[in-house]
Amino acid sequence: MSYDTQVPPAAAPQAMRNGLGTAALILGIIGTLSGLIPLFFWLAGILGLIALILGLVGKGRVKRHEANNKGVALTGAILGLAALILSVVGAVITFTAVKDAVDQIDKGIKDAAPKDPAPKNLADGDSSVYDDNLKVTVADPKPYSPSEVAAGHTAGNKAYQVTVVIENGSKKKFDAVGVTLTGRAGKNGVAAEQIFDEKVGTGFQGSILPGKKATVTVAFDAPKDAEDLTVEVNPGFNYNASQWELKVG
C-alpha cells in the first residue's frame, strides 16, 4: 500500500514595510537642517513633528516584524526630535530679534518726536526749555524804525523789535538754520509781517555748539492800534513751537 505524500509549498516571505522609517529619516534630515536657520523655525517644527511620529510608527513595525529598518526609523525619530528642539530655539531667536527691531524703531520714533517745552504761555524774558536742554528766550520788545529800504513794513503801521536768544544746553550741535520766527499782533491776531532791512531780518545762521548761544534781533510790522504782539519760535522739525505774549502798546 503506497501513500502519496505531498509537502505544502513554503509561504512567500512577507514584504517589509520600511517606507515610514525611510520617510522619517528624510523628513528628519530636512527638518534639522531647516532648524539651523532661525527664520525657518516653523518649517523645522512641522517636519520634525511628522518625522518623530513616522519614526516611532516605523519602529513599531520593526517590533511587529513588519519592517527591518530599525536603525533608519530610530534615526528619523531622533532627528525629528532634534528638529523640534531647534524649532523652539529658532522661534525664540526670531521673536527676540523682531522685538529688538520693534524696540529700536519705537526708540527712533520717540527720539524724533517733537520735544514739548514748558511752560507754554510765555511773557517778556521767559525761556522755553526743551527736553534736550535747548533754551529759547524772547525779550525786550520795543518800537523799531524801519529804514527806507525795509521790506515787510506797511505805511501807517508800527514796527516792534524783539531779541531772540537760543542757548544750546544739549550735548550735540544745534542746526540753527531751521529756526522759524512768526508773529501776530492786535486783538484780532492778524499776521505781523517780519521786517527785513540792513539791521534786522537775517535770522539764525549756521550751527550752535554745545554750551554756546546765538542772539538775533527781529522786527515785526503791526497795526498802529496793536497793544500786544505774539511771537512764535519754532526751533526746527523735531520741536514744538513756543509762543510769547508781549505788550507793545
Side-chain angles (χ1 to χ4, degrees), residues 67 136 170 238:
V136 181
S170 71
N238 291 334

Side-chain angles (χ1 to χ4, degrees), residues 2-26:
S2 65
Y3 295 93
D4 186 8
T5 303
Q6 296 183 354
V7 179
Q14 182 179 1
M16 294 292 99
R17 302 169 65 188
N18 293 331
L20 292 181
T22 303
L25 178 63
I26 296 173

Side-chain angles (χ1 to χ4, degrees), residues 11 68-69 94 114 133 135 137 175 208:
N68 59 3
N69 60 343
T94 300
N133 292 322
K135 182 179 179 180
T137 305
D175 186 4
I208 306 175

Side-chain angles (χ1 to χ4, degrees), residues 33 38 66 95 160 198:
L33 294 176
E66 297 176 358
F95 292 143
Y160 299 94
E198 66 274 15

Side-chain angles (χ1 to χ4, degrees), residues 14-21 53-70 73:
Q14 182 179 1
M16 294 292 99
R17 302 169 65 188
N18 293 331
L20 292 181
I53 295 174
L54 294 182
L56 293 177
V57 174
K59 188 171 178 294
R61 285 186 175 180
V62 172
K63 287 184 178 182
R64 297 192 301 271
H65 305 289
E66 297 176 358
N68 59 3
N69 60 343
K70 177 180 178 180

Side-chain angles (χ1 to χ4, degrees), residues 35-219:
L36 297 176
I37 305 175
L39 193 60
F40 290 160
F41 69 90
W42 55 273
L43 180 60
I46 295 173
L47 296 181
L49 179 60
I50 297 174
L52 179 60
I53 295 174
L54 294 182
L56 293 177
V57 174
K59 188 171 178 294
R61 285 186 175 180
V62 172
K63 287 184 178 182
R64 297 192 301 271
H65 305 289
E66 297 176 358
N68 59 3
N69 60 343
K70 177 180 178 180
V72 173
L74 182 58
T75 302
I78 294 173
L79 289 176
L81 181 60
L84 285 175
I85 295 174
L86 289 174
S87 72
V88 174
V89 175
V92 172
I93 295 174
T94 300
F95 292 143
T96 300
V98 171
K99 182 179 181 301
D100 290 343
V102 172
D103 289 343
Q104 288 297 323
I105 293 174
D106 289 342
K107 183 178 182 299
I109 293 175
K110 289 180 181 179
D111 291 341
K115 303 172 179 65
D116 291 327
K120 292 186 178 180
N121 295 324
L122 304 167
D124 177 20
D126 288 341
S127 298
S128 179
V129 182
Y130 291 82
D131 292 345
D132 60 353
N133 292 322
L134 186 75
K135 182 179 179 180
V136 181
T137 305
V138 176
D140 197 22
K142 57 186 178 183
Y144 178 75
S145 298
S147 67
E148 294 181 355
V149 296
H153 177 60
T154 301
N157 284 354
K158 292 184 178 181
Y160 299 94
Q161 73 176 37
V162 297
T163 300
V164 181
V165 180
I166 296 181
E167 183 175 357
N168 184 10
S170 71
K171 297 181 180 180
K172 300 179 180 179
K173 70 176 182 179
F174 171 72
D175 186 4
V177 176
V179 177
T180 58
L181 306 167
T182 57
R184 296 191 301 275
K187 60 182 180 180
N188 294 324
V190 297
E193 295 292 335
Q194 187 174 345
I195 296 173
F196 297 87
D197 60 16
E198 66 274 15
K199 294 180 289 184
V200 297
T202 56
F204 290 95
Q205 299 179 358
S207 300
I208 306 175
L209 295 177
K212 301 297 182 178
K213 63 175 66 176
T215 303
V216 299
T217 299
V218 293

